[in-house]
Amino acid sequence: MAAGSPADDRARLIMEAVRRDGYQTIDALAALCGVKPYTTRRDVIGLCDRGLLRRKHGGVELPPEGENLAYPARQVLNIEAKRRIAELVARAVPDAATLFFGIGTTPEQCALALTEHPGLRVMTNNLNVAMALARNPSCEITIAGGRVRNLDRDVVAAEAHGFFSNFAVDIGIYGVGAVAEDGTLLDFGPDEVAMRRNLAQHCRQRFLVLDHSKFGRDATVRGGHITEATAVFTDRPVPPAIAGQLKEAGVRLVVWSDDASESASNNGRG
């Protein structure tokens, strides 16, 4: 769907209506967009296939709270924000570094931003990351064994839980499902939390990468705190309470700056 196309404009109107008012019928959305119901039905099928909406009784609604979007939907959601975060991370990762990568779409974008870095050694349970970095001929990649989640293309089942404890690396790069108001990290399943916490325990620096939408988002499983990171990379200023926690804990906060096209950091640890 090309940016600025009529279909793109209709998708935006549909999403805005459902986010604002909840459940919408196909007929109501067709009237809103000024098109025939069959055109709207095609539009909402595409949005549902991407995981952005869910079909319900002749109409659509948002996916349930606490349920993560499908991976293809997350890959395009806030994509520019994730690419900006990845650029910041790429600047902070030296050549020939050893790295852990966790699951999720923002770590995947960070991997794509590192395809020109020479001499990297990477351990990951994220097959999307492995495939992205396989484009880098000098990158050595080790992946976790175990059952693959087909849609997410990652490995988080119990047989993989000790994977990261086999190594000690320079930097761990990981995302999170959500951050609560008190800074608690949240994910959508206990296996995801177990893998993330195992990753964080065995790297010298911990790079938490997350876009602005993760603050205040709903997820169900608690595990860890934002102040356990060495550095937090994001695309917009974080909530003031979170910023205060990071500053007090000496965590480096790296925020994209549109004007300077470079990071703005507080004076925390590196």
Side-chain angles (χ1 to χ4, degrees):
M1 190 164 59
S5 69
D8 194 40
D9 292 338
R10 292 195 305 271
R12 177 179 53 79
L13 287 173
I14 290 168
M15 290 301 302
E16 287 175 353
V18 177
R19 286 178 180 139
R20 183 182 64 246
D21 301 322
Y23 170 79
Q24 298 287 308
T25 67
I26 296 296
D27 288 342
L29 293 172
L32 174 68
C33 296
V35 295
K36 299 291 185 182
Y38 68 80
T39 301
T40 300
R41 190 170 291 105
R42 185 175 63 225
D43 291 337
V44 300
I45 287 172
L47 291 168
C48 290
D49 287 345
R50 291 166 57 192
L52 299 175
L53 296 175
R54 185 175 74 164
R55 298 181 185 88
K56 181 181 179 181
H57 305 311
V60 287
E61 62 181 6
L62 292 175
E65 290 290 329
E67 178 179 299
N68 206 3
L69 294 174
Y71 198 89
R74 287 183 281 134
Q75 281 181 308
V76 299
L77 189 66
N78 297 325
I79 185 62
E80 288 305 318
K82 293 171 183 178
R83 286 172 177 163
R84 290 171 174 177
I85 293 165
E87 183 177 331
L88 297 176
V89 170
R91 296 175 190 171
V93 173
D95 294 344
T98 54
L99 305 170
F100 287 156
F101 273 92
I103 65 172
T105 58
T106 308
E108 178 186 2
Q109 288 299 319
C110 294
L112 288 167
L114 290 169
T115 55
E116 301 299 323
H117 274 50
L120 299 178
R121 296 181 62 201
V122 169
M123 298 81 183
T124 186
N125 62 325
N126 187 334
L127 303 188
N128 300 287
V129 163
M131 293 306 296
L133 285 169
R135 306 176 189 181
N136 182 339
S138 70
C139 183
E140 177 185 307
I141 305 165
T142 302
I143 60 174
R147 179 171 53 83
V148 174
R149 294 196 297 184
N150 292 5
L151 293 179
D152 295 279
R153 294 190 291 273
D154 59 28
V155 182
V156 299
E159 58 266 32
H161 283 188
F163 170 71
F164 293 110
S165 60
N166 294 314
F167 310 95
V169 303
D170 299 322
I171 301 168
I173 298 171
Y174 59 99
V176 69
V179 180
E181 291 182 358
D182 65 357
T184 299
L185 302 184
L186 306 171
D187 273 300
F188 294 92
D191 286 332
E192 295 178 357
V193 171
M195 291 297 290
R196 172 169 53 75
R197 301 203 76 173
N198 182 238
L199 179 156
Q201 290 169 359
H202 298 283
C203 48
R204 287 177 280 277
Q205 296 188 73
R206 294 163 299 283
F207 286 5
L208 174 58
V209 296
L210 71 170
D211 69 75
H212 63 276
S213 70
K214 300 299 180 69
F215 294 99
R217 186 187 182 199
D218 185 39
T220 54
V221 185
R222 300 165 63 91
H225 196 274
I226 195 168
T227 56
E228 295 169 358
T230 305
V232 173
F233 294 79
T234 189
D235 62 307
R236 294 185 190 175
V238 303
I242 297 293
Q245 290 180 11
L246 296 175
K247 185 174 182 179
E248 183 177 355
V251 178
R252 183 181 172 216
L253 175 61
V254 188
V255 183
W256 177 267
S257 169
D258 283 318
D259 293 336
S261 294
E262 62 184 15
S263 64
S265 306
N266 65 27
N267 293 323
R269 70 186 182 219

